[in-house]
């Protein structure tokens, strides 16, 4: 018992010394509110469906390979599958390259998803601005991103970190704060995305609102994901029903 306490004390002194040496301290004046967060309503401004028939929504990008020369573009169309093509190029007036993606759809309880598209852009140049268009041949939307520098020990690159995000008024404040930082080039997402699992049947409409909410950042810079416990769509009722009917 006593030995353990001494161990803990030494541990604390060690941590305290580290803190002094690292000068970790406070790096931002931004503080998220401490009060119980409240979800924004489904018709909140930040959840609006973009205008136009079958307009691509929930546009998001992520890293497409290990060295930073590929990017995966994803988006959802609500009315019909539409085109899987992404047009892209290094000038916003000349998208002279194109890549072909795929489309998928899923069902969960009483929910049917939109048409979910994924398309990988490969062999991109490092440290270069690219413009891309989705919804080719219909209501189309254009975005841009910048590829990271060639990996080397002197390359400088700024990552953002967000986790436990949700879709509350506080999430909105956090996202606004994050987007105001001009340096953050890629976001590392630590898990617990939409908190749709807090709704009946994990109401997947709350994944769609969340996808539209974060688009204003993730359509322009890769978010690299890891999942948390709120991404487990455990549905014992479905398993039970299956056994019962068998
Ligand atoms: C979310 O934040 C943005 C930027 O501050 C603001 O324009 C918008 O009205 C906010 N939406 C809600 C539902 O609070
Ligand atoms: C599915 O059912 C739940 C629970 O009754 C309801 O809250 C939700 O709105 C329904 N979703 C759809 C897409 O009908
Ligand atoms: C769809 O495209 C994505 C991105 O290019 C790829 O990772 C995935 O394997 C493709 N899926 C199918 C079923 O081809
Ligand atoms: C995008 O939409 C505009 C406006 O309708 C249209 O003029 C243009 O041809 C479309 N571009 C593509 C690539 O579909």
């Amino acid at each position: 018992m006593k030995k353990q306490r001494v161990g803990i004390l030494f541990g604390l002194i060690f941590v305290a010394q580290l803190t002094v040496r690292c000068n970790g301290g406070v790096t931002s004046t931004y503080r998220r509110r401490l009060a119980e967060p409240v979800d924004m309503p489904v018709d909140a401004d930040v959840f609006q469906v973009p205008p136009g028939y079958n307009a691509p929504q929930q546009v998001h990008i992520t890293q497409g390979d290990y060295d930073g020369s590929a990017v995966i573009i994803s988006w959802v169309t609500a009315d019909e599958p539409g085109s899987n093509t992404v047009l892209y190029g290094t000038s916003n007036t000349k998208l002279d390259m194109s890549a072909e993606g795929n489309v998928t759809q899923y069902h969960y309880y009483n929910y049917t998803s939109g048409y979910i598209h994924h398309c990988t852009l490969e062999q991109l140049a490092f440290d270069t601005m690219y413009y891309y268009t989705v919804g080719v041949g219909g209501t189309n939307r254009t975005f841009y991103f910048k590829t990271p520098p060639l990996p080397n020990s002197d390359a400088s690159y700024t990552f953002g970190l967000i986790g436990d995000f949700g879709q509350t008024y506080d999430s909105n404040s956090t996202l606004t704060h994050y987007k105001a930082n001009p340096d953050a080039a890629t976001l590392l997402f630590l898990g617990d995305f939409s908190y749709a699992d807090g709704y009946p049947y994990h109401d997947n409409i709350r994944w769609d609102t969340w996808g539209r909410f974060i688009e204003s950042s993730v359509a322009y810079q890769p978010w690299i994901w890891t999942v948390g416990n709120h991404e487990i769509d455990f549905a014992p009722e479905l398993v039970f029903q299956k056994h019962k009917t068998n």
Side-chain angles (χ1 to χ4, degrees):
M1 238 4 192
K2 213 170 177 189
K3 231 183 200 170
Q4 224 172 17
R5 280 214 196 107
V6 173
I8 291 170
L9 182 64
F10 274 122
L12 283 177
I13 291 171
F14 182 67
V15 170
Q17 276 188 340
L18 266 186
T19 315
V20 172
R21 277 202 212 124
C22 298
N23 192 21
V26 175
T27 55
S28 169
T29 54
Y30 178 74
R31 287 288 171 278
R32 185 164 159 161
R33 241 169 32 100
L34 287 176
E36 183 69 23
V38 175
D39 275 3
M40 293 181 283
V42 174
D43 62 357
D45 52 2
V46 287
F47 297 155
Q48 287 312 294
V49 174
Y53 175 76
N54 211 34
Q57 56 168 280
Q58 305 176 50
V59 179
H60 54 284
I61 69 173
T62 195
Q63 191 179 7
D65 67 2
Y66 288 114
D67 67 1
S69 57
V71 164
I72 302 171
I73 314 278
S74 305
W75 70 100
V76 174
T77 49
D79 305 308
E80 56 169 284
S83 169
N84 289 332
T85 304
V86 174
L87 299 180
Y88 65 105
T90 53
S91 152
N92 61 350
T93 54
K94 199 163 137 255
L95 305 184
D96 52 359
M97 292 176 275
S98 86
E100 211 44 38
N102 56 39
V103 62
T104 185
Q105 192 178 36
Y106 74 93
H107 302 276
Y108 192 71
Y109 288 96
N110 56 351
Y111 169 88
T112 299
S113 76
Y115 302 96
I116 303 165
H117 305 257
H118 300 293
C119 178
T120 306
L121 312 186
E122 289 171 321
Q123 294 180 302
L124 303 174
F126 291 106
D127 207 11
T128 301
M129 190 71 105
Y130 281 91
Y131 299 83
Y132 67 97
T133 294
V134 289
V136 174
T139 304
N140 55 74
R141 300 177 66 206
T142 299
F143 303 87
Y144 53 84
F145 61 83
K146 194 176 181 196
T147 51
L150 179 73
N152 75 80
S153 53
D154 293 327
S156 143
Y157 199 69
T158 305
F159 291 95
L161 287 175
I162 292 183
D164 261 327
F165 199 38
Q167 43 192 301
T168 69
Y169 291 96
D170 302 289
S171 322
N172 194 33
S173 145
T174 300
L175 189 63
T176 302
H177 174 70
Y178 178 66
K179 287 192 300 186
N181 186 321
D183 298 328
T186 285
L187 186 117
L188 303 178
F189 194 93
L190 309 176
D192 294 350
F193 301 34
S194 73
Y195 282 77
D197 62 337
Y199 287 86
Y201 297 156
H202 294 197
D203 192 353
N204 278 216
I205 284 173
R206 281 289 176 171
W207 276 107
D208 294 326
T209 52
W210 194 75
R212 294 193 291 270
F213 169 46
I214 62 168
E215 184 192 82
S216 61
S217 172
V218 70
Y220 300 95
Q221 63 170 259
W223 286 27
I224 299 176
W225 312 94
T226 186
V227 294
N229 60 312
H230 288 276
E231 276 68 69
I232 302 170
D233 279 325
F234 180 57
E237 305 90 325
L238 283 184
V239 176
F240 180 66
Q241 276 173 12
K242 200 172 165 223
H243 284 300
K244 221 167 49 173
T245 48
N246 284 350

